[in-house]
Amino acid sequence: MTGGPDLASARPAAQRLDLGPGLTFVPGYLDRLAQERLLAEIRDLARRAPLFTPRMPRTDQPFSVRMTNCGPLGWVSDVSGYRYQPTHPQTGEPWPAMPESLLDAWNELARFPHPPEACLINFYGPGARMGLHQDKDEGELAAPVVSLSLGATALFRIGGLSRRDRTRSIRLSSGDAFVFGGAARLVFHGIDRILPETSDLIPGSGRVNLTLRRVTPAPAA
DNA sequence: TAGTGACC
DNA sequence: TCCT
């Protein structure tokens, strides 16, 4: 189709940074034009599947980020727990289809022979954070998680497979890609804070993070 | 006790 | 690592 980010401008694989087994950081994966095109698609998705404020299981405390999803399944959280579901929790409508541009990004970055089923779209305002956590609600842990950042720079914290492992901080800037796979598929990670006024892509020091995931076990060959 | 916690 |  048309109108997707120009992924032909992606950096060559040689400029990927391997941070350890299964962790790949691709600074500047999307150039400015690709970022603008992708953001326009996200804004369109958010009109059809409005941002909602997830709440913590059990405590019912609201998250500081707002979110929506696209693809056959979407990640949601409320007082009863975390889960993937095929419909928006407020409208009851199916999630919008995944844009072709995101399928292209998955194909370039994930190197997994089946398409992603969910793209979680997180919107961070200047005070939003995401506590250290693992992405482990997916039934297919052989597939990586592919993350794309747009807008304000985030201080991203990444640790190991145990919550007690050493962590390090990485700045994720607009256009950067990050892939968790293989031995690093379940590493703890989170967002400490957003650095204000680090990008003019999204007004008000906003940040969007897209995470592409395979949710159900891939069909047998 | 766990924990998209708080903190770093 | 330390709470609640």
Side-chain angles (χ1 to χ4, degrees):
Chain A
M1 287 299 290
T2 60
D6 177 10
L7 297 180
S9 61
R11 288 197 174 192
Q15 293 184 243
R16 295 174 182 224
L17 305 178
D18 286 318
L19 299 182
L23 284 184
T24 306
F25 181 31
V26 192
Y29 174 68
L30 298 174
D31 68 14
R32 175 69 188 211
L33 181 58
Q35 293 170 39
E36 289 172 355
R37 287 175 170 167
L38 180 54
L39 181 63
E41 293 194 284
I42 298 311
R43 290 194 191 285
D44 182 59
L45 290 174
R47 278 191 289 274
R48 290 179 283 148
L51 293 174
F52 60 94
T53 300
R55 307 186 76 92
M56 288 294 298
R58 189 166 149 277
T59 65
D60 206 32
Q61 284 298 115
F63 284 47
S64 58
V65 301
R66 291 184 302 152
M67 60 180 58
T68 188
N69 291 269
C70 62
L73 291 169
W75 188 87
V76 301
S77 178
D78 60 26
V79 69
S80 69
Y82 307 142
R83 63 192 173 278
Y84 284 93
Q85 64 181 43
T87 55
H88 190 285
Q90 293 170 345
T91 68
E93 293 291 318
W95 302 107
M98 187 124 23
E100 197 69 32
S101 56
L102 293 179
L103 298 175
D104 291 345
W106 174 268
N107 289 336
E108 267 194 323
L109 294 166
R111 297 182 177 142
F112 189 76
H114 301 282
E117 297 172 293
C119 177
L120 175 59
I121 303 168
N122 283 326
F123 280 72
Y124 292 77
R129 294 165 292 117
M130 185 71 83
L132 205 65
H133 68 279
Q134 294 173 295
D135 288 7
K136 59 177 183 183
D137 300 319
E138 300 75 28
E140 178 54 281
L141 297 178
V145 173
V146 171
S147 161
L148 300 174
S149 294
L150 294 173
T153 299
L155 287 184
F156 177 61
R157 182 162 299 278
I158 184 159
L161 297 177
S162 163
R163 194 172 243 277
R164 300 177 294 277
D165 288 342
R166 268 195 332 280
T167 62
R168 59 194 147 149
S169 183
I170 292 173
R171 288 162 120 92
L172 292 183
S173 301
S174 196
D176 292 353
F178 202 94
V179 183
F180 308 82
R185 174 62 179 76
L186 291 174
V187 296
F188 279 86
H189 60 282
I191 294 292
D192 285 347
R193 68 187 182 94
I194 301 301
L195 303 180
E197 296 176 41
T198 44
S199 168
D200 63 2
L201 187 74
I202 300 173
S205 296
R207 172 174 187 261
V208 172
N209 183 68
L210 308 171
T211 46
L212 299 161
R213 300 106 182 264
R214 181 85 201 173
V215 178
T216 66

